[in-house]
Amino acid sequence: MLDWTDRHCRYFLRLISKHAVLYTEMVTTGAILHGNRERFLDFDPSEHPLALQLGGSEPDDLAQCAKLGEVWGYDEINLNVGCPSDRVQSGRFGACLMITPQLVADCIKAMRDSIDIDVTVKHRIGVDERDSYDELCEFIGTVAEAGCSTFIVHARKAWLQGLSPKENREIPPLSYETVHRLKQDHPQLEFIINGGITSLNQAKEQLQQLDGVMIGREAYHNPWILSDADRLIFGDTRFLLDRHQIVDSLIPYVEKELSQGTPINRITRHILGLFQGRPGARKWRRMISEESHKAGTDCQLIIQAAAQVIREPV
Ligand SMILES: Cc1cc2nc3c(=O)[nH]c(=O)nc-3n(C[C@H](O)[C@H](O)[C@H](O)COP(=O)(O)O)c2cc1C
């Protein structure tokens, strides 16, 4: 998620779940090919399993970026066909690509031909007037033929004009049934559902019919939702840390980043929701948000803020 799932955020989330696949922010092909590559692609080895999400619509550019992503060590390359922002539309990529399935297929084929890791697509169930189930199936069929077998479906359509990106995440109604139907009609393909999932119980229910669940906003605002994922979804009970232990494990990372000149608030902005629902959570949030931007702030702030929250019984 743009501006949210940067490498600091992902490092933090990975402390909470060892198995959930993490996705980068959307990175445009232009940024990678003509910008500061390291800035957009570098990540900490602990972040695996990790997918690089690309934004673009030029097959050759996407193939080059996918290759760089593979060389950098990403586990999956994902193409964004779901973002409806004006900026993205003017670059002719994101959700507007749903109107041109053959172009998406060409992009997928070019990427698949250049790399060995998985290439996946994240898309909507429709855009504008192109929102029938048949048109959606035509999109899936064309893209699958080019070699994509995993589709991450944001289960609502997008309006390309008239709604802001935020409204496009809230106003068009969710249709989980459409995604279930896609799976029934294309059992050989993998479908990962996205949109409005706010609990692991909901995720488990979806997994009875589908291959995966992607959680966006809830995982950012309430990252502790991921704490049970390893146990409940992936069947791994080895790493059970409480929230205070998560904070303890983050400290060496923050110290390393501070020594390299990263301002502390670039990291702390992502951890505000950690104690959501616990007594003292408001004090934690307030201390971190009020103090992080002050010059000379160091890890002591995080340690002192965590001490305001009552430790949960094990
Ligand atoms: C701040 C923000 C940035 C986002 N950036 C991206 C992005 O870069 N790529 C993408 O595929 N989706 C992006 N999304 C959409 C989410 O991935 C997700 O599809 C959407 O929020 C619905 O899922 P949710 O209800 O679990 O949040 C973004 C959402 C938010 C709130």
Side-chain angles (χ1 to χ4, degrees), residues 26-45:
M26 176 179 68
V27 188
T28 63
T29 51
I32 294 176
L33 297 177
H34 312 296
N36 179 346
R37 225 165 251 182
E38 286 72 20
R39 182 178 144 221
F40 292 110
L41 294 179
D42 281 356
F43 61 86
D44 187 276

Side-chain angles (χ1 to χ4, degrees), residues 1-5 24-27 53 78-83 122 124 154 156 169 174 194-198 214-219 221:
M1 291 180 284
L2 277 175
D3 198 39
W4 285 11
T5 55
T24 65
E25 305 167 88
M26 176 179 68
V27 188
Q53 188 185 61
N78 175 264
L79 179 66
N80 184 319
V81 186
C83 178
K122 177 160 180 277
R124 300 276 186 143
H154 184 173
R156 51 164 67 89
R169 291 191 289 267
L174 285 164
N194 166 246
I197 313 276
T198 55
M214 173 185 267
I215 303 178
R217 287 165 291 186
E218 188 67 16
H221 293 306

Side-chain angles (χ1 to χ4, degrees), residues 264-278:
I264 196 167
N265 61 356
R266 293 250 178 95
I267 305 170
T268 52
R269 62 191 283 260
H270 301 302
I271 67 176
L272 294 171
L274 176 62
F275 288 104
Q276 199 184 101
R278 296 293 304 156

Side-chain angles (χ1 to χ4, degrees), residues 199-215:
S199 74
L200 288 190
N201 280 341
Q202 266 175 294
K204 280 199 92 162
E205 205 180 307
Q206 293 293 341
L207 285 172
Q208 292 181 357
Q209 301 195 50
L210 297 167
D211 304 288
V213 174
M214 173 185 267
I215 303 178

Side-chain angles (χ1 to χ4, degrees), residues 258 262-266 268 286-299 301:
L258 287 178
T262 305
I264 196 167
N265 61 356
R266 293 250 178 95
T268 52
R286 187 164 1 103
M287 273 181 79
I288 299 269
S289 36
E290 284 175 5
E291 306 291 327
S292 283
H293 62 280
K294 294 187 179 161
T297 302
D298 61 18
C299 286
L301 168 67

